[in-house]
Amino acid sequence: MSPPFGWWDKKAHRGTPVIVKMENPNWSISEISSPDDEDEYGIGAGAGEEFAAAGRGPRKGARVKNAKQITWVLLLKAHRAAGCLTFLASAAVGLASAVRRRVASGRTDSDTTSSSDEESPVLRSRFYSCIKAFLWISVVLLSLEIAAYLKGWHMTAWEIQPLVLPSSFGVRGFLESLYTGWVRFRVEYVAPPLQFLANACVILFLVQSADRLILCLGCFWIRFKGIKPTPKGAIGASEDLESGGEDYPMVLVQMPMCNEKEVYQQSIAAVCNLDWPRSNILIQVLDDSDDPTTQTLIKAEVEKWQQNGARIMYRHRVIRDGYKAGNLKSAMNCSYVNDYEFVAIFDADFQPAPDFLKRTVPHFKDNEELGLVQARWSFVNKDENLLTRLQNINLCFHFEVEQQVNGVFINFFGFNGTAGVWRIKALEDAGGWLERTTVEDMDIAVRAHLKGWKFVYLNDVECQCELPECYEAYRKQQHRWHSGPMQLFRLCLPDIIRSEIGFWKKSNLIFLFFLLRKLILPFYSFTLFCIILPLTMFVPEAELPAWVVCYVPATMSFLNILPAPKSFPFIVPYLLFENTMSVTKFNAMISGLFQLGSAYEWVVTKKSGRSSEGDLISLMKKEPMQQRGASVPNFEAIAKEEPRPQKVSKKKHNRIYRKELALAFLLLTASARSLLSAQGIHFYFLLFQGISFLLVGLDLIGEQID
């Protein structure tokens, strides 16, 4: 029985059957072949072969879409486009709501007082006031330029005529006279000094880029030649630590910490697990915590390891002066320190491998000129968020390139403050720890270098640690790292000039180590890309070529990211974030150079405690300790230990950074002005750099603060 409707009739069916798969938001179509495929195109079997043979028409078996099929394809593509637009709209709404919530719950820079009592509010807000002034000027100029663009007043330096007052003092005449006066003023008085400053910053930029390129070539040469520091002698020929203890030198291990209850447990466990004779090692836990609860926890942990056989002691200062340098100086004044030849230093979040001392201390044997052996840092939380990934790029370049090249070719580099072993004689010869700056590690390294001591960097010896996961902690850390060197440069310059080291070592210390890498780098990064470039959009007579804005920075970012090849997808965010951080680094550099109050600010970097005791237990299973007499902890007791009660979660908030927000609007205003001049590369750079400043200013990068 035939169907009641003709369009269901098989003979009446024309065209290719289509199945539409409705899987929102993406639809797809599938064609079903039928015996009448060739007929539906109006070509019989024989005719199709003849047309194919003649090179005309469709070949046999060719697929030709009919009108119904094309309609379906167009409809599906339109639906897919609508789905993408819906997704983008929902993402934009979600981002806007997140920004609104963060702004509502955020705290600005003025809401929290600085930890330094010496810093006045006037000094703290002066930098922000300068940026805000630039912002308001740019907004006024942008309004004037838009009015001139709409009215067609495009005058250059060659088109300016003598100022003629209009016959009627209307709004139009006033604006035209104002714009004419502004063009004449900027051509005669603004453009020349701005172009001079831009050229000077470009020269500094090229010098610093050449220095970075030379460092990369040196690193390539080290890899190509397989250059690697090797110890001149061996330590501990006996496999039994108890019977071969006389072959091992006396080593003091110091662990300075302050209110770091998130990480003390695993770090103490890792240090107590160092593979070294028990009689030849002493561990000092130097606790500067002012929180009684944290003091009690750390002291209990030390007592637990003492019961397990570790030679470890707890020290707490009553008078906590000098921050970390004062803590280390107080510990070195103990009488029993005279019995030890070397001192290894580990910060509270550092966890050395069991063979750390066996791979570092042998370099001192038969090398009396060696004062320091520095190991590389590795990070347990480098993939935690975007902020830690960008930090990992910077620090990989620092250790892989800067430290390694300087260690191999000139035997000098800045001590990283932790994960290093010092010869105690070198520390005493350099004058010991001093509390005069916030970079006590760089201070002792420079003074030891001036006394003729040599340093060795081991790129293949790693020590695990943590990266700050919130922007506020990272910002405080960078401020300390960039203000301290300027303090030290002012204090050490006379000593460097009077020292007995060679001329080239003096030149390297003054011009490369301090001026180029610590002063010039933050200066030109902020001035060139955050101030001069936006101003050139409003003063087109002063120009920055495209290779300065795009090509050279991209090349330098490519070189920086080479030591961390897995981070190549983040090369663009890295470039933008480094320019964003130039605000903090420039402010810190100025504070240290001119002894402003914030230069002496010391804030302990917030830790999250990503490593756990479980990590140490798994490490113990892989490399069991079989020697007797070593400081071996009881890992089974740790594994069986009852879980601790969960901490009460604290309410988190974010900070609103006014300087970054002001610069964000300044750059976005300049990008809008660049559209009037059709400057493509400049527009995209300013746009994305402005968005980067906006995200950082709203604290949308990294974790929130407890």
Side-chain angles (χ1 to χ4, degrees):
M1 182 175 180
S2 61
F5 301 102
W7 60 277
W8 280 100
D9 190 357
K10 184 177 180 179
K11 294 181 179 180
H13 168 71
R14 307 298 298 173
T16 302
V18 176
I19 294 179
V20 180
K21 297 180 179 179
M22 305 176 65
E23 298 176 358
N24 195 34
N26 296 322
W27 293 9
S28 61
I29 62 174
S30 301
E31 298 181 1
I32 302 178
S33 60
S34 65
D36 299 329
D37 281 344
E38 295 178 353
D39 294 338
E40 71 182 68
Y41 306 129
I43 303 176
E49 293 175 359
E50 293 177 1
F51 273 78
R56 295 168 295 167
R59 296 174 296 176
K60 184 177 181 180
R63 312 293 296 170
V64 180
K65 299 182 182 298
N66 57 15
K68 182 185 294 185
Q69 208 170 348
I70 294 175
T71 303
W72 273 108
V73 171
L74 293 178
L75 288 175
L76 294 176
K77 288 186 176 181
H79 176 76
R80 183 173 297 176
C84 292
L85 292 177
T86 304
F87 171 76
L88 292 176
S90 61
V93 171
L95 179 61
S97 61
V99 170
R100 180 181 58 81
R101 288 194 304 269
R102 288 214 169 191
V103 171
S105 62
R107 303 179 185 178
T108 62
D109 298 339
S110 59
D111 293 337
T112 56
T113 58
S114 174
S115 62
S116 175
D117 296 330
E118 302 176 9
E119 184 180 11
S120 65
V122 177
L123 293 176
R124 190 166 58 245
S125 61
R126 188 173 297 170
F127 187 46
Y128 167 67
S129 300
C130 294
I131 297 175
K132 191 165 61 173
F134 275 110
L135 172 61
W136 283 113
I137 293 174
S138 67
V139 171
V140 173
L141 293 179
L142 177 62
S143 303
L144 187 60
E145 292 290 346
I146 292 176
Y149 180 81
L150 296 177
K151 297 298 182 180
W153 304 332
H154 298 297
M155 291 176 289
T156 61
W158 299 275
E159 297 174 349
I160 297 179
Q161 302 296 332
L163 181 62
V164 179
L165 293 177
S167 57
S168 61
F169 290 92
V171 176
R172 176 184 176 89
F174 174 75
L175 289 177
E176 187 172 356
S177 300
L178 182 63
Y179 182 71
T180 305
W182 157 243
V183 172
R184 179 180 290 105
F185 177 78
R186 81 186 187 196
V187 169
E188 295 180 0
Y189 300 104
V190 179
L194 183 60
Q195 187 66 61
F196 174 79
L197 183 60
N199 294 338
C201 288
V202 169
I203 293 174
L204 296 178
F205 179 35
L206 293 178
V207 172
Q208 197 275 333
S209 301
D211 173 64
R212 185 144 299 193
L213 179 61
I214 292 173
L215 287 175
C216 291
L217 292 177
C219 181
F220 173 77
W221 182 258
I222 291 173
R223 283 198 171 191
F224 179 74
K225 290 293 186 178
I227 302 175
K228 180 181 177 182
T230 55
K232 296 182 179 180
I235 290 179
S238 175
E239 294 294 332
D240 189 353
L241 293 180
E242 188 173 6
S243 61
E246 64 275 4
D247 297 330
Y248 292 81
M250 302 291 288
V251 177
L252 178 68
V253 180
Q254 295 180 334
M255 299 184 65
M257 54 183 64
C258 180
N259 296 327
E260 293 166 292
K261 59 184 178 182
E262 296 86 2
V263 293
Y264 74 92
Q265 200 170 19
Q266 57 263 32
S267 299
I268 291 177
V271 171
C272 289
N273 191 40
L274 287 172
D275 190 4
W276 206 255
R278 183 187 307 172
S279 58
N280 293 39
I281 186 173
L282 175 64
I283 302 170
Q284 289 180 317
V285 177
L286 311 177
D287 182 25
D288 254 6
S289 304
D290 55 3
D291 178 24
T293 303
T294 304
Q295 296 177 23
T296 304
L297 291 174
I298 297 177
K299 190 173 183 179
E301 186 71 15
V302 171
E303 292 174 353
K304 183 180 72 173
W305 285 102
Q306 287 175 343
Q307 295 173 2
N308 290 334
R311 289 194 66 203
I312 184 172
M313 60 180 301
Y314 176 85
R315 280 181 54 87
H316 180 76
R317 292 194 299 165
V318 178
I319 302 176
R320 301 168 55 250
D321 292 335
Y323 301 114
K324 180 180 175 181
N327 197 1
L328 294 172
K329 181 179 180 180
S330 174
M332 293 298 293
N333 289 332
C334 298
S335 58
Y336 55 80
V337 174
N338 297 327
D339 299 332
Y340 294 86
E341 186 177 358
F342 305 104
V343 55
I345 302 174
F346 301 101
D347 283 351
D349 60 318
F350 278 74
Q351 301 152 37
D355 62 346
F356 181 88
L357 294 179
K358 283 190 171 182
R359 300 179 66 183
T360 54
V361 176
H363 289 269
F364 290 98
K365 190 171 184 179
D366 301 329
N367 190 357
E368 296 299 325
E369 295 181 345
L370 183 60
L372 167 67
V373 175
Q374 173 71 58
R376 178 173 180 164
W377 298 0
S378 61
F379 312 103
V380 297
N381 61 337
K382 62 182 179 181
D383 297 323
E384 188 63 29
N385 54 43
L386 179 60
L387 179 61
T388 58
R389 288 185 172 95
L390 299 179
Q391 292 178 67
N392 180 60
I393 296 174
N394 254 343
L395 291 172
C396 282
F397 182 86
H398 170 70
F399 286 105
E400 183 87 14
V401 179
E402 293 178 340
Q403 296 290 77
Q404 185 172 210
V405 171
N406 290 326
V408 168
F409 291 105
I410 61 177
N411 296 119
F412 168 73
F413 48 82
F415 175 46
N416 293 116
T418 179
V421 182
W422 276 94
R423 189 189 297 271
I424 295 181
K425 183 181 178 181
L427 288 178
E428 295 173 347
D429 186 34
W433 298 102
L434 299 180
E435 308 97 323
R436 56 182 182 173
T437 69
T438 58
V439 284
E440 74 293 327
D441 45 9
M442 185 182 294
D443 188 0
I444 191 69
V446 170
R447 287 186 281 117
H449 180 58
L450 296 180
K451 292 293 184 178
W453 293 96
K454 295 182 178 180
F455 302 163
V456 166
Y457 171 74
L458 303 179
N459 193 56
D460 57 341
V461 180
E462 297 184 356
C463 188
Q464 282 193 342
C465 62
E466 285 190 12
L467 293 167
E469 296 181 6
C470 69
Y471 178 70
E472 174 66 14
Y474 178 64
R475 182 170 170 265
K476 292 292 184 182
Q477 181 194 69
Q478 292 300 306
H479 187 280
R480 175 163 51 89
W481 286 2
H482 286 82
S483 65
M486 290 298 97
Q487 303 173 45
L488 182 61
F489 178 63
R490 293 177 56 260
L491 296 171
C492 283
L493 184 58
D495 296 333
I496 295 174
I497 296 175
R498 293 193 300 262
S499 66
E500 298 179 357
I501 60 176
F503 171 77
W504 292 111
K505 289 186 177 181
K506 289 183 181 180
S507 301
N508 170 74
L509 204 55
I510 295 175
F511 296 106
L512 290 182
F513 186 77
F514 278 113
L515 290 181
L516 184 60
R517 297 168 188 166
K518 302 297 187 297
L519 188 147
I520 291 178
L521 177 59
F523 172 77
Y524 86 76
S525 297
F526 173 74
T527 307
L528 185 62
F529 295 108
C530 300
I531 299 298
I532 294 179
L533 178 58
L535 290 182
T536 56
M537 298 298 101
F538 299 100
V539 187
E541 291 76 17
E543 297 179 351
L544 276 180
W547 57 268
V548 174
V549 178
C550 179
Y551 304 125
V552 176
T555 304
M556 292 300 102
S557 298
F558 177 79
L559 294 178
N560 280 12
I561 214 168
L562 281 178
K566 294 183 179 179
S567 301
F568 268 104
F570 304 97
I571 185 170
V572 174
Y574 171 74
L575 171 61
L576 298 175
F577 183 71
E578 279 302 290
N579 289 334
T580 305
M581 284 303 302
S582 65
V583 183
T584 299
K585 296 175 181 179
F586 178 83
N587 189 23
M589 182 266 294
I590 295 296
S591 299
L593 192 61
F594 297 102
Q595 289 186 291
L596 303 181
S598 61
Y600 300 94
E601 182 180 4
W602 180 290
V603 178
V604 178
T605 305
K606 178 70 175 176
K607 311 297 191 308
S608 60
R610 292 293 175 184
S611 300
S612 62
E613 292 171 343
D615 299 330
L616 296 174
I617 295 171
S618 61
L619 177 64
M620 190 65 182
K621 292 179 179 178
K622 294 180 181 179
E623 300 180 4
M625 300 279 291
Q626 297 179 356
Q627 297 90 342
R628 297 183 57 188
S631 178
V632 183
N634 188 357
F635 280 89
E636 295 181 358
I638 298 178
K640 296 178 180 178
E641 192 175 272
E642 296 181 359
R644 297 186 177 184
Q646 295 183 352
K647 299 179 182 179
V648 179
S649 59
K650 298 180 181 179
K651 184 178 180 180
K652 295 185 177 182
H653 68 275
N654 66 296
R655 292 284 298 273
I656 304 298
Y657 302 100
R658 299 180 299 168
K659 292 191 291 290
E660 283 78 359
L661 284 180
L663 277 170
F665 292 118
L666 172 63
L667 293 170
L668 292 176
T669 304
S671 67
R673 172 61 182 87
S674 68
L675 286 177
L676 304 181
S677 305
Q679 300 187 22
I681 292 180
H682 297 71
F683 165 73
Y684 288 113
F685 181 87
L686 289 168
L687 175 64
F688 289 114
Q689 191 64 69
I691 294 174
S692 175
F693 269 102
L694 184 63
L695 295 176
V696 172
L698 295 175
D699 199 10
L700 294 175
I701 181 173
E703 301 293 333
Q704 289 183 308
I705 307 170
D706 290 336

